[in-house]
Amino acid sequence: MKNFQFKQYDFEVFDVSPQMRVAVRSAWAEKVKAGKCGNFIANMEKLIAKVAQVPLDYKVPFRASFLVFPEGKEFGNVLGLPIEQGMCEAGVALDKNYPLALMVDENWFENGFDKELSLQQQVGLIHELGHIVHGAYFRKMGCMGEGFAELLPHYLMGVEAQNSAHRQKVLSVPKQDLQTLDFIHQNGMFALEAPDGANTQELKSYMSVYLWMLGYVKRLENKYQLDKFGAVSKMLKNFAAFDKQSWQNKMTEAANLVDMTPAEMLQTKMLQLEGKKYLADAACRTQLWAKNREGERI
């Protein structure tokens, strides 16, 4: 890809590995090529490789792109969010096959991570990579993209089974606090709770869209007799076709795919509660298995 100008900056684009592309201000290019940002790159490459191994029906091998941008008010202005640093999806096409990039602030990109990534950090970063994955298929399905980004680490990659703390937080959200997709589409992910950086994914809006997506995928699995990877691959393929239609049509098509009306899918909590029931049942099965194992040892 050719170098380009974005806002008032000139960017140089190059691949730091076959699976990772970066766009940095021209003044930073030599620094990156000299390996001075290697900690961030190495850690992200490991996570990118894990995402690439998820057996989805990728159109082409997965590759993630990063737009490295200065901290400050303009950072948030580009994203349309009340933040001045961090990492978030950005509609800057650095790869024709994966047109969503992740914007990351220059300080983080240069200094990387202080220590080995915790499970929570890995989940958060894989969530962001999830936006690149679904961006190859759909970008205009509202908060369903956030649901997919949560589904990727927790369900598709099996982290939920390892992270009992997160599972318990999700299961402890009362029905009345779950948000419908219609509410989130109209008001945004941060309508009731402000983002706080490290714990953003524990906001009720994020847990709501995760449970919604989990319920949606479980319906696909049951209806079409697919495993979770086949069901998500089917969803991505269909959403790619719906994405080009009007909002009303694509919501109707998405609802039809799981035998629901648009009102049921968007304005009720049916799918959220179905996803929550699946998680609760899975937790019970895990506890029973552990109890049986303990009995065998005794």
Side-chain angles (χ1 to χ4, degrees):
M1 179 179 175
K2 295 182 179 179
N3 298 341
F4 68 102
Q5 186 175 48
F6 183 67
K7 299 299 180 179
Q8 72 269 36
Y9 306 112
D10 293 318
F11 285 85
E12 186 169 336
V13 183
F14 54 92
D15 296 335
V16 295
S17 75
Q19 292 182 313
M20 185 173 178
R21 173 170 289 176
V22 299
V24 297
R25 288 193 290 165
S26 297
W28 275 62
E30 293 305 317
K31 182 186 296 188
V32 177
K33 292 175 183 176
K36 294 184 179 180
C37 303
N39 178 279
F40 180 91
I41 291 170
N43 276 286
M44 291 309 304
E45 282 181 333
K46 291 177 183 177
L47 296 178
I48 292 167
K50 289 182 178 181
V51 173
Q53 291 169 5
V54 177
L56 295 175
D57 187 18
Y58 290 119
K59 297 177 181 178
V60 296
F62 179 61
R63 177 162 64 179
S65 298
F66 294 81
L67 175 68
V68 185
F69 202 82
E71 294 182 13
K73 290 184 179 180
E74 192 173 27
F75 188 95
N77 290 339
V78 171
L79 298 172
L81 294 172
I83 60 176
E84 296 189 0
Q85 60 185 16
M87 183 188 297
C88 195
E89 63 179 291
V92 180
L94 302 177
D95 186 305
K96 66 179 182 180
N97 295 306
Y98 293 96
L100 278 182
L102 295 178
M103 197 161 88
V104 59
D105 68 79
E106 289 178 336
N107 181 60
W108 188 3
F109 185 73
E110 180 177 23
N111 295 306
F113 304 87
D114 294 334
K115 52 187 177 181
E116 186 175 350
L117 295 179
S118 67
L119 183 62
Q120 183 180 9
Q121 287 176 311
Q122 291 182 55
V123 168
L125 293 168
I126 291 171
H127 169 106
E128 299 303 337
L129 292 172
H131 287 301
I132 299 179
V133 175
H134 80 70
Y137 300 88
F138 70 93
R139 297 172 60 185
K140 299 177 181 179
M141 300 284 286
C143 62
M144 294 178 186
E146 293 295 346
F148 175 84
E150 282 291 272
L151 190 82
L152 176 61
H154 289 121
Y155 184 54
L156 292 181
M157 299 176 73
V159 174
E160 193 74 75
Q162 308 168 36
N163 192 356
S164 58
H166 177 267
R167 182 171 59 193
Q168 188 55 45
K169 286 177 182 177
V170 174
L171 291 176
S172 67
V173 179
K175 178 181 176 179
Q176 63 268 25
D177 288 347
L178 291 172
Q179 298 170 24
T180 67
L181 257 64
D182 190 56
F183 175 84
I184 297 173
H185 285 159
Q186 293 187 41
N187 299 284
M189 296 293 292
F190 306 122
L192 300 180
E193 299 171 282
D196 64 351
N199 299 311
T200 297
Q201 291 164 275
E202 294 179 4
L203 300 181
K204 293 181 179 65
S205 57
Y206 280 81
M207 291 191 281
S208 295
V209 295
Y210 166 47
L211 289 173
W212 181 94
M213 183 59 74
L214 182 57
Y216 190 93
V217 168
K218 294 306 293 184
R219 282 200 173 211
L220 290 176
E221 291 176 26
N222 294 329
K223 180 177 179 179
Y224 298 99
Q225 295 298 295
L226 296 167
D227 66 10
K228 61 183 180 180
F229 305 111
V232 171
S233 292
K234 181 176 182 62
M235 181 190 73
L236 291 173
K237 182 179 179 180
N238 280 273
F239 277 20
F242 305 161
D243 206 39
K244 302 175 179 65
Q245 301 178 23
S246 70
W247 179 258
Q248 181 177 353
N249 285 348
K250 60 190 171 188
M251 291 301 105
T252 298
E253 294 283 5
N256 287 341
L257 196 62
V258 291
D259 298 327
M260 301 181 81
T261 66
E264 289 174 331
M265 184 181 77
L266 298 173
Q267 297 171 14
T268 76
K269 302 174 183 179
M270 289 174 61
L271 290 175
Q272 289 90 326
L273 294 175
E274 288 175 19
K276 192 173 182 180
K277 183 179 185 304
Y278 168 79
L279 278 187
D281 291 345
C284 287
R285 288 193 296 270
T286 299
Q287 292 171 359
L288 181 60
W289 178 86
K291 185 176 181 180
N292 289 339
R293 291 283 293 173
E294 183 64 26
E296 290 174 4
R297 285 195 293 270
I298 294 173

